[in-house]
Amino acid sequence: MSRTPERFSVNQMTVKQLSLPELVDACRDLGVRNVGLWREPVQAYGVDAAAKLVRDAGLAVTTLCRGGFLTAIDPRERADALADNRRAVEEAAALGTDTLVLVSGGLPAGSKDLRGARERIADALAELGPYAESHGVRLAIEPLHPMFAADRCVVSTLAQALDLAERFPAHQVGVTVDTYHIWWDDTAPAQIARAGAAGRIHTFQLADWTTPLPAGVLNGRGQIGDGSIDMREWKGYVEAAGYTGPIEVELFNEELWARDGREVLAETAARFARHAL
Amino acid sequence: MSRTPERFSVNQMTVKQLSLPELVDACRDLGVRNVGLWREPVQAYGVDAAAKLVRDAGLAVTTLCRGGFLTAIDPRERADALADNRRAVEEAAALGTDTLVLVSGGLPAGSKDLRGARERIADALAELGPYAESHGVRLAIEPLHPMFAADRCVVSTLAQALDLAERFPAHQVGVTVDTYHIWWDDTAPAQIARAGAAGRIHTFQLADWTTPLPAGVLNGRGQIGDGSIDMREWKGYVEAAGYTGPIEVELFNEELWARDGREVLAETAARFARHAL
């Protein structure tokens, strides 16, 4: 147990085959101290019950994933999205995490206007930032890999995420630094420094880049050490930028999901220790 | 015939179901004046025979695709790659095109060193640039979408491509601007201006971004008008940067390849006229 690194956090999606109680048990048995949670399984279990479960187990909740999807043009859809994000803020507060990850949303059907979509995210953040602050929660804009720009997230780089975040106070809006999405970007190290100097690195996540990508490209996030990303290099950048918090491993991977969840969790912690410490 | 736009060029890959003589015939029948060719089908037909075929048909060859794959570490592999690229230069010259498109290559097996791979490309360009110049050929570094960074091309942005190109004279090394690879990048318009000011836009290619991406993500380039990219906007950027040359439509798309090639060519020319003029 003592060998599981203190800063390691397992994102719930990495072992989504485990129920929430199974995940909590596995973390206890393996000495994992931190978890990143997802709204859907938490809601299914009950937010208050989930909060009690992790609290009683002594687990820290490093992030809640995820709010966002703020690019709709239709007023009704926008109002629904804002209401849903306020609920996400409340859930984060109830779970005792200070960080809500935001996946901003893709282009509305038929639209080709990336700039306009990015501006609508800013409009939404102006409403959600103060609401999050009043709940002790920070919003963490996650730039997603450019391959998701059309259908999932029009914020594709750390620079774009920071251009949005910097319109607001750092304790309201910062960024998610995730190796999977930014590893190809030679300007990302400088953007990590920019984020760190302003106290805007709200979470740091790891996944490795493996190929070939699967159809739809969503569930191809590789186990740490299996791919092309030098984890220590990126950890060095965020640490040089002042980030000393937990490090979440967040994998979406059909092959990992098909295996025994406890075994995957143990492997993930071991890979973290081998490749990211 | 007269309605096919003068600047339209069909990249051979868009209708790879057509043999070279079939492609030439179809171009003549449809009034298409320009083609971008690929090495493999040209070699299969015979370089000199291909050159005569297109020349006799009055077709201009806008580019030859492709050289590159210059990231190997192993000395033997590097020597082979350089030799192959010299042959590609010779083939381009024989075909009467002044532009050889370069896809730079991915990470060597087991390597996580993007920076080192990019430097090896520069080393290769120092040898290939003068060789190309002596044949009247310009090298056009093509940044590929970041989803190809590991396995196909470590040059992921126009900025990276220009950082490499600018080490050499513009008549030796420039860039390929392809909407499919750069449409998500809010810094790309400024990079197009940078490229244009130095006379480094050596070719301009179009494909649309459609989702979901297929497994392996290579053959998901969408027909013009079917996806998320505003073709007129990007054409505006390259024209404002001084580019007035041919515009190639280059689609890799299993659905298009399964259809009648002449029909796809006619559709592509029509889509070009509707969405890119």
Side-chain angles (χ1 to χ4, degrees):
Chain A
M1 281 185 49
S2 60
R3 293 176 59 205
T4 298
E6 250 181 74
R7 293 175 68 192
F8 172 72
S9 178
V10 58
N11 185 285
Q12 181 169 20
M13 193 58 92
T14 302
V15 286
K16 74 168 185 175
Q17 62 272 56
L18 296 180
S19 70
L20 195 56
E22 288 170 343
L23 173 62
V24 168
D25 280 349
C27 285
R28 190 160 27 201
D29 293 349
L30 290 162
V32 175
R33 296 160 178 80
N34 312 286
V35 290
L37 297 179
W38 276 68
R39 293 184 70 197
E40 293 75 4
V42 164
Q43 289 169 352
Y45 190 77
V47 177
D48 291 335
K52 182 174 180 348
L53 185 72
V54 295
R55 194 171 54 236
D56 289 352
L59 279 170
V61 181
T62 48
T63 63
L64 180 63
C65 299
R66 59 195 183 182
F69 297 94
L70 300 168
T71 53
I73 295 170
D74 177 74
R76 172 90 181 249
E77 281 179 54
R78 285 189 64 70
D80 287 351
L82 286 169
D84 187 56
N85 275 273
R86 284 190 291 269
R87 282 193 297 275
V89 165
E90 294 156 14
E91 291 163 13
L95 291 166
T97 178
D98 62 359
T99 303
L100 176 65
V101 174
L102 298 187
V103 171
S104 298
L107 288 171
S111 171
K112 301 176 197 259
D113 181 13
L114 286 172
R115 251 188 307 268
R118 288 171 187 147
E119 278 308 306
R120 290 193 296 282
I121 297 165
D123 292 345
L125 292 173
E127 290 194 46
L128 293 173
Y131 190 77
E133 181 181 2
S134 72
H135 286 74
V137 172
R138 308 171 306 176
L139 306 174
I141 303 172
E142 179 163 19
L144 255 55
H145 193 283
M147 68 188 176
F148 295 116
D151 55 358
R152 194 163 296 267
C153 185
V154 296
V155 179
S156 302
T157 62
L158 267 180
Q160 290 171 357
L162 285 165
D163 286 348
L164 283 169
E166 286 174 354
R167 303 192 198 184
F168 308 98
H171 61 274
Q172 287 184 2
V173 187
V175 298
T176 297
V177 177
D178 184 321
T179 56
Y180 188 78
H181 298 302
I182 63 170
W183 75 282
W184 56 272
D185 181 1
D186 59 348
T187 73
Q191 297 300 321
I192 288 173
R194 171 185 169 193
R200 292 188 195 268
I201 303 178
H202 288 352
T203 178
F204 177 42
Q205 300 182 329
L206 306 183
D208 213 338
W209 184 270
T210 51
T211 55
L213 293 165
V217 304
L218 187 59
N219 299 330
R221 293 170 64 103
Q223 178 61 281
I224 308 305
D226 282 352
S228 304
I229 305 178
D230 184 334
M231 298 296 162
R232 279 196 190 86
E233 180 183 348
W234 291 98
K235 178 160 166 279
Y237 296 137
V238 300
E239 289 180 349
Y243 182 83
T244 57
I247 303 173
E248 269 185 36
V249 178
E250 184 189 43
L251 312 177
F252 300 7
N253 186 307
E254 301 283 356
E255 288 173 32
L256 295 179
W257 291 334
R259 289 170 49 193
D260 176 76
R262 281 182 165 251
E263 181 190 303
V264 171
L265 179 53
E267 174 186 283
T268 303
R271 292 294 189 94
F272 179 90
R274 193 177 324 147
H275 296 281
L277 282 192
Chain B
M1 280 186 48
S2 60
R3 293 175 59 204
T4 296
E6 249 181 76
R7 293 175 68 192
F8 173 72
S9 177
V10 59
N11 185 285
Q12 182 170 21
M13 193 58 91
T14 303
V15 285
K16 74 166 185 177
Q17 62 271 56
L18 297 179
S19 71
L20 194 57
E22 287 170 344
L23 173 62
V24 168
D25 281 350
C27 285
R28 188 160 31 201
D29 293 348
L30 290 162
V32 174
R33 297 161 177 79
N34 312 287
V35 289
L37 297 178
W38 276 67
R39 294 184 69 197
E40 294 74 5
V42 164
Q43 288 169 351
Y45 190 78
V47 176
D48 292 335
K52 182 174 183 341
L53 186 72
V54 295
R55 193 172 55 237
D56 289 351
L59 278 169
V61 181
T62 49
T63 64
L64 180 63
C65 300
R66 60 197 180 179
F69 296 93
L70 300 168
T71 54
I73 295 171
D74 177 77
R76 172 90 180 249
E77 282 179 53
R78 286 190 64 71
D80 287 350
L82 286 169
D84 187 56
N85 275 273
R86 284 190 292 270
R87 282 192 297 275
V89 164
E90 295 156 14
E91 290 163 13
L95 292 166
T97 179
D98 62 359
T99 303
L100 176 65
V101 174
L102 297 187
V103 171
S104 298
L107 289 170
S111 171
K112 302 176 196 257
D113 181 12
L114 286 172
R115 250 188 308 269
R118 289 170 187 147
E119 277 309 305
R120 289 193 296 281
I121 297 165
D123 292 346
L125 292 173
E127 291 195 47
L128 294 174
Y131 191 78
E133 180 181 2
S134 72
H135 286 75
V137 172
R138 308 171 306 175
L139 306 174
I141 303 171
E142 180 163 20
L144 255 54
H145 192 285
M147 67 188 177
F148 296 116
D151 55 357
R152 194 163 294 268
C153 185
V154 297
V155 179
S156 302
T157 62
L158 267 180
Q160 290 171 357
L162 285 165
D163 287 348
L164 283 168
E166 286 174 354
R167 304 192 198 184
F168 309 97
H171 60 273
Q172 287 185 2
V173 186
V175 298
T176 297
V177 177
D178 184 320
T179 57
Y180 187 78
H181 297 303
I182 63 170
W183 75 282
W184 56 271
D185 181 0
D186 59 347
T187 72
Q191 297 300 321
I192 289 173
R194 172 185 169 193
R200 292 187 195 269
I201 302 177
H202 288 352
T203 178
F204 178 41
Q205 300 182 329
L206 307 183
D208 213 337
W209 184 270
T210 50
T211 56
L213 293 165
V217 305
L218 187 59
N219 299 329
R221 292 170 64 103
Q223 178 61 279
I224 308 305
D226 282 351
S228 303
I229 305 177
D230 185 334
M231 298 296 163
R232 279 196 191 86
E233 180 184 349
W234 291 99
K235 179 160 166 278
Y237 296 136
V238 301
E239 288 179 350
Y243 183 83
T244 56
I247 303 173
E248 269 186 36
V249 178
E250 183 190 44
L251 311 177
F252 299 8
N253 186 309
E254 301 284 355
E255 288 173 31
L256 295 178
W257 290 334
R259 289 170 48 194
D260 176 76
R262 280 182 166 251
E263 180 191 303
V264 171
L265 178 54
E267 174 187 281
T268 302
R271 293 294 189 95
F272 179 89
R274 192 177 326 147
H275 296 280
L277 283 192

